[in-house]
Amino acid sequence: MEYALNQPAKPNSFRTGPDEQGMFGIFGGRFVAETLMPLILHLEEEWNRAKTDPEFKAELEHLNAHYTGRPSPLYFAERLTEHLGGAKIYFKRDELNHTGSHKINNCLGQILLAKRMGKTRIIAETGAGQHGVASATVAARFGFPCEVYMGATDVQRQAPNVFRMKLLGAKVHAVSAGHGTLKDAMNEALRDWVTNVEDTYYLIGTAAGPHPYPELVREFQSVIGRETREQMMAVEGRLPDMLVAAVGGGSNAIGLFHPFLDDENVRIVGVEAGGKGLEGEEHCASLTAGSPGVLHGNRTYLLQDGDGQIKEGHSISAGLDYPGIGPEHSWLKDSGRVEYVPIMDTEALEAFQLLTRLEGIIPALEPSHALAEVIKRAPTMGKDQIIVMNLCGRGDKDVFTVGKLLGHDL
Amino acid sequence: MTTRIDRKFAALKQINRPALVTYFMGGDPDYDSSLRVMKALPKAGADVIELGMPFSDPMADGPTIQLAGRRALDGGQTLVKTLQMAREFRQEDDDTPIVMMGYYNPIYVYGVERFLADAKESGIDGLIVVDLPPEMDEELCLPALKAGINFIRLATPTTDDKRLPVVLGNTSGFVYYVSMTGITGSALPDTSKVADAVRRIKGHTDLPVCVGFGVKTSSQAKAIGASADGVVVGTAVVNAIANVLDKDGKAVADPAEAVATLVRGLADGVAEARLAQAG
């Protein structure tokens, strides 16, 4: 691995963050209103107790196995590998989880924390609706009332997920502020939380927000990477050469990456939503084209103007349509450990169709971005090399969006 | 440290009257109208001015102030212009304390050291930054105190006795007690509860305690002013401006006059607060 001279010195381990203040280098932190501060400290205490409590661990493992269906398979994509003619491609199939994405891993962990904290009401924000569905699911399973904030634009483009949430008993609030996407949903969820701080647990869907959320979400999602390590050793007897995952807020990616961060020979690539291209405003590539700023409780790379006003961004994929990124990814970018690249809407759409036809798997538009990068990289690598891509969600929810883009009237 | 805030509260204590602290959004609906609103505030009876810095994602604000921020940004307001507004105001008023209020990101992007130097030079006396709790004091609070600008902290109903000393630690100027858990512009809670909270905070500090979030009318200002050292009114001021705008955001009447009418009423309320108590 190469490090530029102006980069911070390489740490002994990439896996020790955050520090006690919740910082990953200059990123992370607790930038919240005072009203929320006592609650966030309480959450941190409870989390610190829970993570070393064998009972908590056992309960979560039991749910992961019997409710979600973990471990998810590590699948060798034989026909895609053959088609691309380079590295062997494996998919970590988190799209087969109950509720159809990796989001359930985090929701089960957090609902157990909410229960421990004595909270009686769950709120969540959602972009594509995958986290909203997973939140509504665990709320139903544990008997909590649940309210989900979702941008009005996303409510439209992810209609099937909205209905699923309603079936599961959740109340869905369409947020019309801004462009009506994930950022606006998060603002509104924070307003609800600050108002109902006594009884409400905010189930954040990605590895972002104030400390300790980035850490605890990462821990709940790291089951993806831990399983991948074991499965890869069992099948290939060695670690992969490259990991690829899509990053919106970055929870599926950090979940896959984190257990491998100290394995120097494993190259790690995060794929951002390049939207309609980085030269304009219509993308969500906060790491590639943004700058450090403070939003939604943490310091991280953001899409913003010179006055510190946050831009709206754009992506074909509602789940990547967010102008920020989890703080640990910002740190991993600056430290040089992980490479972040953009993929355009059109490339993701092509990858979506290719996988559907070659492997009989309809991926969500989010991992379709990761797949588009795999399609670029695999042919340049040797046949003895191995790529693992996190197939973090299934595409049922995107069928209508894709149909529209391809000119089919569904 | 600038001394306008301390002087103002000391003078008000002499005459046993709580301060009227008025918030407005800098640049709403445009720079010139907003500057006239600012100039009208002290003339109508405001003792302290909170100058709002618009931010695209105001997580702690209700719909009224969200919309005001949107209007200001659409009208081209920036942090540079908000500082400029203070500077222009100071040319004719060197007495009324100005506290800038908003969110951290625009300041962070402007550059903390550069911001503090420019704020000082523009006649700013204090800062209220909603998303900087004491845990993040090294970001702006400590540099501000070093630069001679007061850092005013919010205390809330969730700030218990154990946490209060942490919150009050580096606070100067005054303490802003947020009357309820919630966003700006919500309904005001029971005034006796507010009075209890003010008493509790005063047990931990000699600083003046001002109460805000939810105070909209003259009679509420009077009731809150009986116990608090200051009454903060924000959403009602912003509403007075919004009420004279048409659907395209163009003023159909003078926003400064609309605000002045409201503030005169609120000033009468705080003036009566302690008289009622004495009687």
Side-chain angles (χ1 to χ4, degrees):
Chain A
M1 189 161 304
E2 290 173 34
Y3 292 90
L5 286 176
N6 60 353
Q7 298 288 1
K10 187 191 158 198
N12 292 327
S13 168
F14 287 97
R15 304 184 64 220
T16 54
D19 68 16
E20 280 178 16
Q21 273 67 50
M23 305 300 286
F24 302 90
I26 67 160
F27 300 105
R30 287 179 282 219
F31 296 90
V32 295
E34 171 58 25
T35 311
L36 296 177
M37 212 43 229
L39 183 68
I40 281 176
L41 293 172
H42 180 201
L43 174 62
E44 188 184 351
E45 280 170 31
E46 201 57 53
W47 162 239
N48 284 335
R49 274 197 289 272
K51 68 183 173 189
T52 53
D53 178 355
E55 260 180 58
F56 181 83
K57 193 171 171 239
E59 189 174 4
L60 184 56
E61 279 176 2
H62 183 85
L63 286 163
N64 278 342
H66 300 281
Y67 191 67
T68 304
R70 302 209 72 90
S72 66
L74 184 70
Y75 168 73
F76 173 46
E78 198 175 346
R79 291 199 68 217
L80 181 69
T81 299
E82 206 174 287
H83 176 81
L84 295 174
K88 285 177 88 168
I89 298 158
Y90 282 87
F91 293 137
K92 180 60 175 162
R93 296 201 58 189
D94 258 51
E95 105 278 13
L96 293 176
N97 293 342
H98 178 43
T99 75
S101 81
H102 67 288
K103 294 293 186 186
I104 191 80
N105 305 332
N106 168 45
C107 287
L108 283 172
Q110 287 203 53
I111 199 94
L112 294 181
L113 278 179
K115 209 172 74 171
R116 285 175 76 109
M117 291 174 75
K119 298 297 177 187
T120 55
R121 174 176 176 266
I122 300 296
I123 58 167
E125 85 295 337
T126 195
Q130 295 300 87
H131 174 60
V133 167
S135 299
T137 299
V138 299
R141 166 66 181 75
F142 285 86
F144 285 88
C146 176
E147 298 190 27
V148 179
Y149 291 89
M150 188 170 186
T153 306
D154 293 340
V155 166
Q156 295 237 313
R157 61 178 166 174
Q158 304 286 344
N161 271 346
V162 175
F163 186 59
R164 288 165 81 194
M165 286 183 257
K166 286 181 182 166
L167 281 174
L168 290 159
K171 194 170 167 189
V172 180
H173 299 276
V175 181
S176 55
H179 278 196
T181 57
L182 184 52
K183 167 175 90 101
D184 313 297
M186 200 145 180
N187 287 335
E188 213 51 42
L190 283 163
R191 290 183 188 116
D192 180 316
W193 198 25
V194 85
T195 307
N196 302 297
V197 67
E198 289 296 328
D199 65 346
T200 298
Y201 184 91
Y202 182 14
L203 210 172
I204 293 185
T206 193
H211 178 66
Y213 280 103
E215 178 191 320
L216 65 89
V217 175
R218 178 194 75 202
E219 288 305 303
F220 295 140
Q221 292 295 359
S222 288
V223 68
I224 299 171
R226 287 195 303 271
E227 286 176 7
T228 301
R229 271 185 93 90
E230 277 180 31
Q231 291 166 323
M232 190 47 68
M233 291 308 288
V235 180
E236 295 277 356
R238 69 176 184 90
L239 296 181
D241 299 284
M242 184 182 284
L243 302 173
V244 183
V247 289
S251 71
N252 92 81
I254 203 72
L256 175 66
F257 298 169
H258 195 259
F260 292 93
L261 288 175
D262 286 336
D263 298 296
E264 281 194 35
N265 295 326
V266 180
R267 289 183 68 185
I268 304 182
V269 183
V271 183
E272 296 194 284
K276 294 177 180 169
L278 263 48
E279 56 288 345
E281 301 268 294
E282 294 195 73
H283 64 80
C284 284
S286 39
L287 287 170
T288 320
S291 57
V294 174
L295 179 70
H296 294 154
N298 55 185
R299 176 161 37 223
T300 193
Y301 275 87
L302 298 172
L303 298 177
Q304 54 184 335
D305 68 15
D307 189 44
Q309 309 298 336
I310 311 304
K311 293 184 187 174
E312 297 285 347
H314 157 84
S315 171
I316 188 177
S317 142
L320 303 181
D321 205 340
Y322 181 68
I325 175 80
E328 194 164 9
H329 286 290
S330 292
W331 178 74
L332 288 169
K333 173 198 156 74
D334 278 9
S335 66
R337 176 62 185 100
V338 178
E339 185 187 345
Y340 294 89
V341 295
I343 280 291
M344 307 306 136
D345 285 352
T346 48
E347 296 172 306
L349 194 58
E350 276 172 33
F352 174 97
Q353 296 173 81
L354 185 73
L355 189 67
T356 305
R357 286 196 299 266
L358 278 180
E359 295 284 353
I361 298 172
I362 303 179
L365 283 169
E366 292 79 17
S368 295
H369 284 72
L371 184 64
E373 186 63 21
V374 168
I375 291 170
K376 287 183 185 176
R377 301 225 179 196
T380 70
M381 293 164 68
K383 289 190 176 182
D384 58 338
Q385 294 197 289
I386 298 169
I387 300 177
V388 176
M389 188 201 101
N390 198 12
L391 188 43
C392 63
R394 59 178 172 243
D396 310 36
K397 69 181 175 67
D398 294 315
V399 164
F400 292 93
T401 305
V402 171
K404 214 173 176 183
L405 288 165
L406 297 179
H408 295 275
D409 195 9
L410 298 181
Chain B
M1 197 65 66
T2 70
T3 55
R4 289 188 196 94
I5 295 176
D6 295 344
R7 277 186 280 141
K8 179 65 77 177
F9 279 98
L12 289 170
K13 197 171 183 180
Q14 288 289 318
I15 59 167
N16 192 28
R17 171 165 83 70
L20 176 60
V21 181
T22 51
Y23 169 96
F24 76 109
M25 179 65 80
D28 171 33
D30 59 72
Y31 182 92
D32 291 334
S33 306
S34 191
L35 179 59
R36 283 193 296 115
V37 166
M38 190 175 186
K39 288 176 176 174
L41 288 171
K43 289 174 188 144
D47 300 299
V48 177
I49 293 176
E50 286 182 5
L51 170 55
M53 300 176 273
F55 181 48
S56 53
D57 294 82
M59 285 91 70
D61 284 304
T64 302
I65 293 180
Q66 288 176 41
L67 287 172
R70 197 66 260 161
R71 288 193 297 269
L73 292 173
D74 289 346
Q77 191 74 6
T78 58
L79 188 46
V80 172
K81 287 186 181 172
T82 307
L83 289 166
Q84 171 65 22
M85 195 174 269
R87 206 176 297 124
E88 285 198 53
F89 174 89
R90 276 279 171 256
Q91 285 169 6
E92 40 182 88
D93 183 334
D94 195 35
D95 175 52
T96 307
I98 306 174
V99 175
M100 289 182 92
M101 181 167 182
Y103 296 82
Y104 183 42
N105 195 52
I107 295 172
Y108 176 71
V109 169
Y110 192 96
V112 166
E113 291 305 322
R114 175 180 162 229
F115 170 76
L116 290 172
D118 291 356
K120 186 96 193 250
E121 188 267 328
S122 305
I124 301 299
D125 303 288
L127 301 173
I128 301 175
V129 183
V130 180
D131 50 355
L132 284 179
E135 281 73 7
M136 306 311 288
D137 269 357
E138 284 177 18
E139 294 283 332
L140 182 64
C141 173
L142 298 180
L145 296 179
K146 217 168 124 191
I149 293 178
N150 292 287
F151 200 83
I152 292 137
R153 193 99 62 190
L154 305 176
T156 73
T158 61
T159 315
D160 59 18
D161 282 329
K162 195 176 124 217
R163 185 160 168 82
L164 255 178
V166 179
V167 169
L168 296 171
N170 291 316
T171 303
S172 65
F174 60 91
V175 181
Y176 186 143
Y177 178 67
V178 175
S179 66
M180 77 302 207
T181 60
I183 52 179
T184 53
S186 308
L188 186 71
D190 186 347
T191 48
S192 70
K193 273 192 189 164
V194 173
D196 288 347
V198 169
R199 211 169 301 124
R200 185 167 69 88
I201 295 169
K202 282 184 158 298
H204 290 266
T205 180
D206 294 330
L207 289 169
V209 178
C210 299
V211 175
F213 278 45
V215 186
K216 296 187 184 76
T217 66
S218 179
S219 60
Q220 287 170 333
K222 180 177 163 183
I224 295 290
S227 59
D229 301 306
V231 181
V232 188
V233 183
T235 296
V237 174
V238 172
N239 253 332
I241 297 169
N243 288 343
V244 298
L245 303 177
D246 66 17
K247 61 177 174 24
D248 300 318
K250 288 267 175 296
V252 293
D254 184 9
E257 188 42 48
V259 166
T261 304
L262 172 79
V263 172
R264 277 193 289 268
L266 294 166
D268 289 344
V270 294
E272 288 170 19
R274 304 284 167 80
L275 301 178
Q277 211 173 30

